[in-house]
Amino acid sequence: MSSKFFKELRAKDPFYEHGTILSSMASKPLSIAVKAFFEFLDTNAGDLILFKNIHRMERYVVKKLVKILGCINGRCSGYIVSGGSEANFLSLWLLRNYALKNRRIRRPEIVASYASHYSIIKAANALGLKIIYSRLTKDYKTDPDDVAEKVSRNTIAVVANVGSVELGTVDSIKEIAKVSLEHNIPIHVDAAFGGFILSIMENLKFKKFPGFTCNGVYTVTADPHKTLFTPIPSGGFFVRDHKFLKHIRFKAPYLPGKTTETLIGTRSGGSIASIYAVLKFVGLKRLKKIYEKCYETAFYFYQKLLKIGKFKVYGILETPIICFKPLTCSTDALMKKLWKKGWTIYKCSIVDGLRLVFMPHVNRANVDKFLSDLISLVEH
Ligand code: 0PR
């Protein structure tokens, strides 16, 4: 089979670099990450005896990533998993087992907001956790006062968002931690999108994500295949202390490694190698520059929308995601027309609006083209 065959097959779907994909948290992976991925394509991180070097690389990248996420005592740990859904699942699984072991709980519950990603709902369903929904503030963030009302002796975790999937909002982790520490309840932070961005941007004017510096934070999801620009699949599951991993440790008796602490057995060594490549050869300074560009483009779009005066923009710009609603026509009608013009844009569900994710492939030129289509559509 010729490579032309596959090239043509691939070309039936859009490419990020065309700039028309506006609602995706994934982007074109960095070339060094692709090279490393390709080189380690046949390696299995689930076999740490066969692929000792991948095992060492995973320990290296996890150590670096937890440091980025605020771990200062060297006790944090974790794994590179398939994505945010798996990392959220592992986190809630661990926190449920930890609570069941240490407290008398009859019906385990989590407190989460309507801004949570659906993977939290799936994990709760699989793990037999009742979801108690907490209110959102007028800025669409988890309301810490309401969390205080909703936690009970059955709560095994409070779920917070850093870069919520629809609006990109960032919960006040410190305020939520005040509540959770008072009741001795761990926080799981779904920072699949915002974790690395906000941690790496910390010296700039953007709000810092306190991550593991905050005592109440036990587990964090932060995904390399979203914001470290590595190939899919690449999710990050991180814990504040390696000792907690025993709550999801199972025997793998026939393997020389003897135990496993992930959901999946066979894991991509290529994913680990690609993160290694980004950390070693791209570095935080260049990542910061990429994020700055994403914010700049998002801010440019945000200001243009306000200036046009025909849109409601939800929330403030905390991570490079903007959700807006047309004031002169229905959101559905506008979305359909935008699709007809070749734009891939999705709706929000918690508010009436369309959602744009400013990944590196969404540049100023694409935004200008999009704005011109948008203006023509709301005016006619
Ligand atoms: N948590 C948050 C906050 C997320 O935004 C996502 C995915 C997840 C968890 C789950 O991560 P995985 O998809 O890696 O399991 N957010 C994106 C979304 O649902 C995923 C995505 C990316 C969807 C690119 C479409 C797309 O083209 O929008």
Side-chain angles (χ1 to χ4, degrees):
M1 204 65 70
S2 73
S3 70
K4 189 167 163 267
F5 173 83
F6 295 110
K7 273 205 160 63
E8 282 172 6
L9 202 57
R10 172 63 187 90
K12 291 185 180 195
D13 287 329
F15 290 93
Y16 293 108
E17 49 269 46
H18 292 167
T20 55
I21 303 172
L22 302 179
S23 283
S24 169
M25 284 184 179
S27 197
K28 188 179 161 80
L30 295 166
S31 58
I32 186 84
V34 175
K35 271 193 193 127
F37 191 89
F38 190 70
E39 210 55 59
F40 287 84
L41 208 57
D42 59 343
T43 63
N44 173 11
D47 190 333
L48 53 87
I49 301 300
L50 190 55
F51 297 110
K52 289 191 179 63
N53 197 42
I54 276 292
H55 175 62
R56 268 185 232 119
M57 278 159 95
E58 184 170 31
R59 288 306 101 210
Y60 174 89
V61 301
V62 167
K63 206 168 151 192
K64 290 271 176 209
L65 296 178
V66 291
K67 216 166 166 191
I68 291 170
L69 296 171
C71 186
I72 39 169
N73 58 11
R75 296 190 64 80
C76 303
S77 189
Y79 285 96
I80 301 308
V81 298
S82 61
S85 301
E86 192 188 342
N88 282 340
F89 180 89
L90 287 167
S91 300
L92 294 183
W93 191 19
L94 181 154
L95 295 175
R96 184 200 67 172
N97 290 356
Y98 169 63
L100 291 180
K101 179 136 206 287
N102 294 295
R103 290 158 47 197
R104 281 162 164 251
I105 292 177
R106 256 181 291 137
R107 279 204 68 185
E109 297 172 356
I110 56 169
V111 174
S113 85
Y114 289 103
S116 296
H117 188 260
Y118 64 81
S119 56
I120 294 291
I121 298 158
K122 277 199 284 188
N125 179 282
L127 295 166
L129 305 171
K130 185 176 176 195
I131 305 180
I132 309 293
Y133 283 98
S134 61
R135 221 178 23 225
L136 292 171
T137 63
K138 63 175 182 9
D139 298 324
Y140 308 99
K141 293 164 183 268
T142 301
D143 182 347
D145 292 336
D146 197 47
V147 171
E149 295 287 317
K150 301 282 164 68
V151 291
S152 75
R153 56 178 299 281
N154 290 327
T155 313
I156 62 110
V158 174
V159 178
N161 295 302
V162 167
S164 62
V165 59
E166 296 191 10
L167 298 168
T169 45
V170 178
D171 286 343
S172 171
I173 304 297
K174 283 188 180 154
E175 292 302 312
I176 296 171
K178 275 186 204 157
V179 176
S180 84
L181 284 173
E182 195 182 314
H183 296 85
N184 211 6
I185 296 168
I187 299 176
H188 165 59
V189 185
D190 182 355
F193 182 69
F196 295 131
I197 298 182
L198 289 181
S199 301
I200 292 171
M201 299 282 286
E202 65 179 311
N203 296 329
L204 302 173
K205 58 179 184 259
F206 300 99
K207 192 177 145 133
K208 187 184 181 275
F209 163 43
F212 288 114
T213 62
C214 195
N215 278 338
V217 173
Y218 278 48
T219 50
V220 174
T221 292
D223 286 350
H225 70 198
K226 294 186 173 64
T227 54
L228 295 184
F229 316 112
T230 55
I232 296 167
S234 183
F237 156 63
F238 305 109
V239 292
R240 78 171 295 104
D241 196 313
H242 57 85
K243 74 175 190 214
F244 289 121
L245 288 169
K246 70 171 186 246
H247 298 290
I248 50 166
R249 186 174 301 145
F250 285 82
K251 283 189 183 140
Y254 70 93
L255 284 177
K258 294 276 188 267
T259 59
T260 147
E261 296 167 343
T262 51
L263 182 63
I264 289 174
T266 303
R267 289 183 299 121
S268 164
S271 302
I272 293 163
S274 65
I275 301 167
Y276 185 87
V278 170
L279 292 176
K280 236 176 152 77
F281 302 110
V282 178
L284 303 192
K285 267 196 191 145
R286 262 183 63 201
L287 283 171
K288 202 187 229 177
K289 284 227 156 70
I290 299 175
Y291 301 151
E292 272 169 2
K293 260 248 148 56
C294 296
Y295 273 104
E296 262 170 42
T297 316
F299 191 60
Y300 172 76
F301 180 72
Y302 190 93
Q303 284 189 314
K304 287 270 179 188
L305 278 188
L306 293 183
K307 211 167 155 202
I308 296 165
K310 291 188 170 163
F311 301 97
K312 172 185 167 75
V313 186
Y314 293 98
I316 49 166
L317 187 63
E318 292 183 289
T319 55
I321 295 180
I322 292 176
C323 186
F324 65 97
K325 165 191 154 84
L327 297 174
T328 56
C329 60
S330 88
T331 306
D332 277 308
L334 179 62
M335 185 170 81
K336 278 189 194 133
K337 286 179 191 164
L338 288 167
W339 275 78
K340 270 202 182 134
K341 285 194 175 281
W343 300 103
T344 310
I345 186 162
Y346 301 151
K347 266 177 63 168
C348 292
S349 70
I350 56 171
V351 294
D352 175 20
L354 297 175
R355 150 184 182 268
L356 253 88
V357 186
F358 292 84
M359 294 304 278
H361 62 269
V362 184
N363 59 30
R364 185 76 73 99
N366 307 136
V367 166
D368 280 334
K369 272 192 225 151
F370 178 70
L371 276 166
S372 118
D373 279 348
L374 197 59
I375 294 166
S376 74
L377 292 174
V378 293
E379 275 172 357
H380 293 110

